[in-house]
Amino acid sequence: ITHVTLPSTLLSIGEEAFINCENLTDVILPESLELIDYSAFSGCSSLSNINIPSSVRKIRDGAFCCCESLTKITIPAPVCEIGTEAFSACEKLGEVTFLGSVKEISEDCFLECSNLTKIIVPDNEREAYKQLLPKKLHTLIVEQSESVTFDTKTIKKIFNLEYIQTITSCYF
């Protein structure tokens, strides 16, 4: 299986439904979907594109664990819970966009996502997300309306590094 379109009446994707479908590259989820259950897409190492519909409320533990080809993910506004290791070991995941205020994000939801460098959150939500997101993430958290320029002043503000005088070159 390389491509799946799920029926428009589907409310949840069951536990381990597509686990280790290593050739699966694309899944079309219906707007009726409310739950992505435990390890639903775990080990789908070729999955490179998935649009989580705005009807989803919960993404359970390990739902997208080891989806090594995912590069970006958008979490829709109704999602209120993201489980343990939901996106862990997604090696190419570089950007996550949150469209709403998630109430619960597991400490290890982005474990071993070594390329995750940018998290985009709703305006005026940066502080709330700093409290929710794992402390060990070394990731830039940006509000949706912000335009980020990597100059000394911006980096001082984002990382609260008042002692920096000059930045001559950066690698992000």
Side-chain angles (χ1 to χ4, degrees):
I1 299 174
T2 59
H3 176 81
V4 173
T5 300
L6 297 173
S8 62
T9 55
L10 189 68
L11 296 177
S12 68
I13 298 174
E15 199 171 313
E16 299 182 355
F18 294 95
I19 195 166
N20 294 326
C21 287
E22 294 177 357
N23 295 322
L24 187 63
T25 59
D26 188 43
V27 177
I28 298 177
L29 303 175
E31 284 299 324
S32 59
L33 191 66
E34 296 176 2
L35 170 70
I36 301 172
D37 215 339
Y38 301 96
S39 301
F41 295 97
S42 181
C44 295
S45 56
S46 298
L47 184 63
S48 59
N49 183 30
I50 191 150
N51 291 319
I52 299 172
S54 60
S55 54
V56 171
R57 301 199 40 77
K58 292 182 181 181
I59 300 171
R60 293 272 168 88
D61 300 356
F64 295 96
C65 177
C66 300
C67 290
E68 299 166 0
S69 297
L70 279 178
T71 58
K72 288 183 179 184
I73 195 83
T74 298
I75 309 294
V79 171
C80 59
E81 177 186 320
I82 301 174
T84 301
E85 298 185 15
F87 295 96
S88 68
C90 292
E91 295 173 358
K92 293 182 183 174
L93 185 63
E95 182 177 306
V96 176
T97 301
F98 289 94
L99 298 180
S101 298
V102 177
K103 306 273 186 282
E104 185 179 334
I105 300 175
S106 166
E107 177 71 20
D108 292 330
C109 66
F110 298 112
L111 183 69
E112 297 179 26
C113 291
S114 57
N115 287 311
L116 183 57
T117 56
K118 186 175 182 182
I119 294 177
I120 302 169
V121 300
D123 291 341
N124 303 312
E125 295 281 334
R126 184 190 342 248
E127 289 307 313
Y129 274 92
K130 277 185 179 180
Q131 298 305 313
L132 281 172
L133 289 165
K135 305 296 181 254
K136 57 190 163 201
L137 275 180
H138 299 289
T139 303
L140 178 64
I141 300 173
V142 180
E143 292 180 351
Q144 289 174 349
S145 65
E146 285 183 310
S147 171
V148 178
T149 304
F150 290 107
D151 60 15
T152 303
K153 183 178 177 184
T154 303
I155 291 173
K156 280 182 181 181
K157 177 183 170 195
I158 291 168
F159 294 105
N160 197 22
L161 301 172
E162 296 305 319
Y163 58 87
I164 291 179
Q165 296 300 315
T166 307
I167 295 174
T168 55
S169 63
C170 289
Y171 298 95
F172 291 95

